[in-house]
Amino acid sequence: MIKFDKVTKIYKGDFKALEDINLEILPGEFVSIVGKSGAGKSTFLKLIYAEEMPTSGQVFFDEKPIDGIKKRLIHEHRKKIGTVFQDFKLLPQKTAFENVAYALEVSGAPNEEILEDVPQILDIVGLGNKMEKFPRQLSGGEQQRVAFARALIHKPKIIIADEPTGNLDPISSWEIVQLMMKINEIGTTIILASHNKNAIDKINKRVIVVENGKIIGDYSTGKYKLD
Ligand code: ADP
């Protein structure tokens, strides 16, 4: 599903964020990327959703190189990938329903589809009874659920989550971890970058350890142990 072939990313100013990354992620996997701040985790994710392009090497999505996607088709690529971030990135003036609906509206979905799909997806993330609440009326964990609902609305093949529990208390973090496991169980590939060792431990799936832009460990399910 995703393949990194000799990928190096050098940012302006000559900073090497990733170096010679070779890796494959298969459909349905739940992969956690761990490593200290600055290790290159976000850069790795950005290369997948085409926010950044490699300096050398190639990233493939479903066997096609991402850097070969024409600019006007990048949004089609991004629709296949749901993204979730530490800071939720919700629109404060819109309700939970409207935040999720907006993602469909901008891609031209008809009203009937919006009215059918949005409540369904909010139900899946456990917010069926809070659809009319604004972000400020929701807890951090609930806001992150809205972000997951929005990420899921285009029925993506992959969810990319960059520190999704970074702003949450331990109980909300655990609920978000459970939600990610549920989303993975229903067939969505998940790539999670996180510092949260506790969460990674509970997920107990493949773990890739990144340090100074390099992969220093790739552990299959059950093989990664906390230090
Ligand atoms: P992580 O997600 O593991 O904290 P990042 O991928 O965000 O790491 O960053 C890796 C390194 O690349 C860091 O040292 C960071 O300062 C640098 N970096 C990230 N984005 C940029 C950018 N747009 N321009 C220059 N340097 C960057």
Side-chain angles (χ1 to χ4, degrees), residues 11-12 15 17 36-43 52:
Y11 284 113
K12 281 196 194 88
F15 190 86
K36 292 196 187 96
S37 190
K41 303 182 295 297
S42 299
T43 302
E52 295 287 350

Side-chain angles (χ1 to χ4, degrees), residues 23-143:
L23 162 96
E24 208 162 343
I25 294 173
L26 301 176
E29 277 200 273
F30 191 141
V31 182
S32 301
I33 316 285
V34 304
K36 292 196 187 96
S37 190
K41 303 182 295 297
S42 299
T43 302
F44 177 83
L45 302 182
K46 284 177 183 167
L47 290 169
I48 299 172
Y49 57 87
E51 181 154 329
E52 295 287 350
M53 290 292 164
T55 309
S56 63
Q58 277 187 314
V59 181
F60 296 85
F61 184 87
D62 279 350
E63 279 155 41
K64 294 187 199 79
I66 292 176
D67 62 1
I69 302 172
K70 295 200 170 62
K71 270 220 167 96
R72 63 188 168 80
L73 295 177
I74 285 282
H75 71 280
E76 288 299 326
H77 169 67
R78 293 207 178 117
K79 265 207 239 169
K80 296 178 196 156
I81 301 171
T83 48
V84 176
F85 301 94
Q86 177 167 353
D87 58 356
F88 322 136
K89 297 196 194 297
L90 300 178
L91 298 165
Q93 312 298 353
K94 290 187 184 288
T95 63
F97 179 94
E98 289 164 349
N99 264 281
V100 181
Y102 187 65
L104 282 178
E105 283 161 16
V106 293
S107 63
N111 230 354
E112 307 83 75
E113 187 183 325
I114 294 175
L115 290 174
E116 192 175 326
D117 287 4
V118 176
Q120 211 174 30
I121 212 86
L122 282 165
D123 226 24
I124 289 176
V125 302
L127 286 181
N129 57 350
K130 298 208 168 163
M131 293 198 290
E132 301 312 323
K133 302 272 187 211
F134 289 91
R136 64 171 185 282
Q137 300 172 311
L138 297 170
S139 71
E142 288 168 340
Q143 290 183 55

